[in-house]
Amino acid sequence: MTQPLITLRNVTKRYGNHTILKNINLTLESGKFYTLLGPSGCGKTTILRAIAGFMSVSEGDVLFAGQRINEVPANKRNVNTVFQDYALFPHLTVAENVAFGLTLKKVAKAEIAERVAKALKLVQLAGYGDRAISELSGGQQQRIAIARAIVMAPKVLLLDEPLSALDAKLRRQMQYELRDLQQRLGITFLFVTHDQEEALAMSDEIFVMNQGEVLQSGSPVDIYDEPINHFVADFIGESNILPAKMIEDFQVAFGGHQFECADAGIPDNEPVEVVIRPEDLTLTTLDQAKLTVTIDTQLFRGDYYEIAATDTLGNDWLIHSVNPAEDGETIGITFRPQDLHVMRFGEKEAEFDARLETYEELEDDGVDET
Amino acid sequence: MTKRRTWVYFIPYGLWLALFVIAPVALIIYQSFFDLGQHFTLTNYSTYFRSATYLKMTLNSVWYAFLITLFTGLISYPTAYFIHQLKHRQFWLLLVILPTWINILLKAYAFIGIFSQAGLANQFLTFIGIGPQQILFTNASFIFVATYIQIPFMILPIYNALDDLNPAFVNASKDLGASTWQTFRHVIFPLTLPGVKAGVQAVFIPSLSLFMLTRLIGGNKVITLGTAIEEHFLTTMNWGMGSTIGVVLIVAMIVVMLLTGDQKTKGGTPR
């Protein structure tokens, strides 16, 4: 395995009695797109500031390519930041902004001009060099902020909610562009956002955070399909989360019935929670139904209908369906065993991963036999 | 209806403007065209611009106002910067503002006591073995006291400019590899320059026409334009000449305003 580029080891940050980061451990490898995802105030920006060097940590180590950099000031670190409000210098032109870091490094003038032009071209703003910052739109300022950072050729680019000030359409476009830029440059990106859609769309790996802790890390698909707990399931995408009981391996009970599922390694009869994504539920006739629900309301979302329903025990259900239903109609819903995901209360990420590994192997073996 | 209301609100301001701004300036300009015999003439201006004494006086005024502004600035910027970093900055700022609530004459008389032959300053000089010196009625003491009086007026706008500065700019600068000094030189100072300019306006212009201090502390060794105006109006009774100097002073103020005004900079106005 290659040397990790950035490692946070047991990092804790306290302000007085307030703990912002609780024992954070994370590893960033070269050339990947990472996202810190969490609600505001969860400590994701604090991690960014610790890596950038704007803030010292109370405990633990920040490592860069294996070297401890806790005491290295921000201006000596080989990382650059794209700030949330861009922080472009208003007294300088676009080109002067982009050239700022190179000028300080006393790079030759011709080389600066060349690199600035290249960076501007990369963010599709070639020829904007002489403009004033105030003449640029929000999206253009965003790109200049990126150009100003990447022109320094950093090993890691830190992005602090860089898209939050843009409108929805521009935001989507910038998501594609950022992802594309990251892949072309091969720089490690560490992207901070509270927008789960953004995180799912762009990342190689996501760290889901809440209240100063990393709850779960993994690929977008892993986190979406196998959330570790109620918070992650609820925060990432829309979900139906129900109280349930583990009967035995691959058998779980909820909504008054027992169902086959794809989870194992949980003690029998343990109270658990079950997640079903709304798009995994299918409307069906009553005789084929796994559960019976009554339709409350439905909203047309363009590519699907978002249907709110209630089952016979009074649980609320959210269903995404291509076909509409009728309000007040009693209808069946069905799902496949692999659409169910069982979550244990208070399970830590390490235990969760270990448990998944045991029965996923088992599952694979089973597939081989048939 | 609404229009009439708006007019009502304008009355106090309009009266103030007419009585204390437009009328005095008009009167001064009018007066400056009359000689001692009440004849309409341009001689006041020709005298002013031909007389070595007056030109020297003007240069003196500008030179001393410049020195006072320079020293005020050299003290105020670091002070404002330092106060801005402190924890209870509002309190420390209040301490800076406090002396401005005391009448300027009172402060001048206090300094006469401190700088006199047997004053506190000379007692100290005697104590450290230098012996009593002539402090009062020197140019140095004049500049010292004037600077002391003007400092709060320079600190305040600079402090406000520092307060308005988005801390993200400082982080961005460091992020791009700038040392603390480079960040100050290339980011903090240029972005707080409007505060410095406002401070220069607040200090330089009043310093041009200082006259009480020149007499009480400076011993009339430096004759500034302010002193000259006072002399012409109260002693020689040559109102025409006094007004002419007044007009010159007003023009000088306008020039300073234009020089330090907010030019639309290339990069747009700072946040």
Side-chain angles (χ1 to χ4, degrees), chain B residues 24-36 38-49 233 238-251:
Chain B
V25 171
L27 275 174
I28 282 178
I29 293 170
Y30 175 78
Q31 285 282 355
S32 69
F33 290 111
F34 289 90
D35 63 10
L36 279 171
Q38 292 303 312
H39 301 293
F40 183 86
T41 169
L42 282 172
T43 46
N44 287 329
Y45 285 96
S46 61
T47 315
Y48 181 92
F49 286 107
F233 274 92
N238 188 350
W239 285 27
M241 199 60 219
S243 299
T244 305
I245 302 170
V247 171
V248 171
L249 206 53
I250 291 170
V251 172

Side-chain angles (χ1 to χ4, degrees), chain A residues 126-174:
Chain A
Y128 278 68
D130 292 331
R131 303 266 182 110
I133 297 302
S134 56
E135 290 174 56
L136 303 181
S137 69
Q140 290 169 335
Q141 291 191 16
Q142 168 67 74
R143 286 157 197 243
I144 297 303
I146 293 167
R148 186 176 68 174
I150 59 175
V151 80
M152 303 299 293
K155 288 277 189 335
V156 179
L157 187 66
L158 309 173
L159 302 107
D160 187 5
E161 308 219 14
L163 307 183
S164 60
L166 305 179
D167 63 61
K169 199 177 163 202
L170 200 55
R171 213 166 154 150
R172 261 166 194 269
Q173 189 192 334
M174 283 307 292

Side-chain angles (χ1 to χ4, degrees), chain A residues 49 52 54 74-77 79-83 85-93 96-97 100-101 104 106 130 132-135 148-149 152, chain B residues 165-183 185-192 264-271:
Chain A
R49 293 170 60 85
F54 302 140
N75 55 330
K76 301 257 163 62
R77 295 190 185 189
V79 297
N80 287 104
T81 310
V82 176
F83 292 85
D85 48 4
Y86 318 140
L88 296 171
F89 305 124
H91 60 297
L92 303 176
T93 64
E96 286 166 342
N97 262 283
F100 190 86
L104 292 174
K106 307 240 169 358
D130 292 331
I133 297 302
S134 56
E135 290 174 56
R148 186 176 68 174
M152 303 299 293
Chain B
L165 184 74
N166 182 351
F169 290 141
V170 177
N171 278 342
S173 168
K174 290 198 172 157
D175 191 70
L176 293 165
S179 63
T180 308
W181 168 245
Q182 286 170 324
T183 299
R185 219 188 106 205
H186 295 295
V187 177
I188 300 177
F189 188 72
L191 287 176
T192 50
K264 186 82 180 158
T265 43
K266 224 180 168 190
T269 45
R271 184 197 90 97

